[in-house]
Amino acid sequence: MVGIKFNDIFGIMKYLTLTFWLYFSVGYSQSNTSLTLLLLNETKLDADQWFGRDAFGYAYFSKGNVFYKQKELEKWEYKNLILGKITKVDITNPLRILLYYEPFNTIVTLDNQLNEILKTDFNLHTSIVTNAIGLASRDRYWYFNTQSQKLGLLEYFQHKFSEFPRWITNPMVLYDSTFNEFYWINETGEWWTCDIFGKMQMRKKIKDIIPYCFLDAKTLLAKKDGKFVLVFTTKEEVRSVPELENLEGSFRFQNQILSIFTQTKLVEFQINLP
């Protein structure tokens, strides 16, 4: 364990580097791969919800149903108390920030200064009730329609909805997305992915594992037998992550940063995935 000091974009003076070696088997061969955890920050945070940090170092969180974007002395806020508590925030594109209010079946899109630029009310379409959303490529949103039990794409400028033909009947317990892929784990432990063309594949069946958050479409942070582990679609074995023991709260992974918000403090690690 080595302590090092330098200035970074977060204004953090002290870093802790923890490196442990993981061994992966590919086919019938064995190769060495390192996973590095760099402790970026451990600080108090006065917030109700934490939504992550974008590629430019801006932090996103909410307090009293007010949404904030902050970096050092810069701070913006967005308030829409009528819609209530924010269910999900997608900061994949910091110029088009997506806020999802599931109880009101509504998405609000903000620019980089948190000005409202678009509101999508799915209630205007009586056949669509959503419980999962995400930002997709080419001016589109991912959405899951609980009425039809289908995953779809919304072209939001044209108000055009299209749903993939395959039904998704088992409820999702965890989901995430990129511009080109939507992925989830359902109640039966099936790990699925879907691309923007509607091709769905079951990648893995997991058992006796509690999912916490996706690191990408092929990597999951989870708990097994009370211990944090990494689970991979391409590997049968799991890999322990002892550096995260004794940390509980909401887990988010964005731009190679794993953040854990415990309601009293925020802990952030930079993770270089193998």
Side-chain angles (χ1 to χ4, degrees):
M1 185 178 296
V2 181
I4 57 177
K5 296 183 179 180
F6 60 97
N7 293 324
D8 72 348
I9 61 173
F10 306 137
I12 302 167
M13 300 299 297
K14 191 172 183 180
Y15 281 72
L16 175 66
T17 303
L18 301 170
T19 303
F20 60 94
W21 292 92
L22 301 178
Y23 296 90
F24 294 89
S25 58
V26 180
Y28 296 101
S29 65
Q30 186 85 9
S31 63
N32 294 342
T33 307
S34 64
L35 173 69
T36 303
L37 275 72
L38 180 69
L39 180 62
L40 298 177
N41 187 24
E42 184 171 349
T43 185
K44 291 183 179 179
L45 178 65
D46 184 21
D48 297 327
Q49 296 184 91
W50 167 258
F51 301 111
R53 200 181 293 274
D54 67 21
F56 303 102
Y58 289 94
Y60 298 84
F61 58 93
S62 68
K63 176 72 175 180
N65 294 334
V66 180
F67 180 66
Y68 294 97
K69 173 182 178 178
Q70 183 174 3
K71 179 183 177 183
E72 297 175 352
L73 298 179
E74 298 178 88
K75 190 173 185 178
W76 294 270
E77 69 175 56
Y78 172 78
K79 184 185 299 184
N80 194 326
L81 301 181
I82 294 176
L83 293 177
K85 186 177 180 179
I86 302 168
T87 305
K88 179 181 172 63
V89 173
D90 192 324
I91 57 173
T92 305
N93 180 359
L95 301 178
R96 183 170 291 276
I97 301 162
L98 190 153
L99 274 60
Y100 177 45
Y101 298 86
E102 183 180 347
F104 285 85
N105 206 25
T106 297
I107 296 172
V108 173
T109 306
L110 310 176
D111 66 13
N112 64 335
Q113 295 184 346
L114 303 194
N115 298 304
E116 185 177 313
I117 56 178
L118 183 66
K119 181 183 288 184
T120 305
D121 185 353
F122 288 97
N123 296 304
L124 300 177
H125 307 270
T126 56
S127 62
I128 299 178
V129 178
T130 62
N131 71 352
I133 58 89
L135 194 61
S137 61
R138 300 181 181 179
D139 298 329
R140 292 177 294 183
Y141 297 141
W142 295 102
Y143 72 92
F144 179 69
N145 185 359
T146 61
Q147 297 287 86
S148 64
Q149 295 186 314
K150 292 180 179 180
L151 186 65
L153 288 167
L154 162 63
E155 297 179 43
Y156 44 80
F157 286 131
Q158 287 75 33
H159 302 285
K160 180 181 178 181
F161 297 82
S162 58
E163 296 184 357
F164 303 127
R166 186 167 186 166
W167 285 288
I168 301 174
T169 55
N170 290 316
M172 302 177 187
V173 297
L174 184 70
Y175 76 91
D176 209 337
S177 62
T178 64
F179 290 135
N180 297 313
E181 197 168 25
F182 188 97
Y183 38 96
W184 70 97
I185 293 174
N186 64 26
E187 284 187 343
T188 65
E190 295 175 340
W191 185 337
W192 287 83
T193 62
C194 178
D195 65 22
I196 55 173
F197 303 106
K199 181 181 179 181
M200 295 187 188
Q201 292 180 286
M202 192 184 81
R203 300 291 185 175
K204 194 180 185 72
K205 175 80 171 182
I206 60 175
K207 297 188 299 181
D208 303 321
I209 288 177
I210 302 172
Y212 270 64
C213 77
F214 285 107
L215 303 193
D216 57 29
K218 299 178 181 179
T219 312
L220 173 72
L221 178 67
K223 266 196 171 182
K224 181 178 178 63
D225 300 326
K227 304 293 184 181
F228 281 106
V229 295
L230 290 179
V231 185
F232 306 92
T233 58
T234 55
K235 314 292 178 185
E236 286 302 321
E237 68 275 14
V238 299
R239 299 301 178 184
S240 64
V241 191
E243 286 78 4
L244 301 182
E245 296 306 322
N246 303 317
L247 288 174
E248 286 292 344
S250 60
F251 286 67
R252 295 186 182 275
F253 185 75
Q254 190 86 27
N255 300 307
Q256 301 301 310
I257 296 176
L258 175 67
S259 55
I260 304 101
F261 179 51
T262 68
Q263 301 300 324
T264 59
K265 68 178 180 179
L266 175 68
V267 183
E268 294 175 282
F269 291 92
Q270 180 176 325
I271 297 183
N272 297 316
L273 290 175

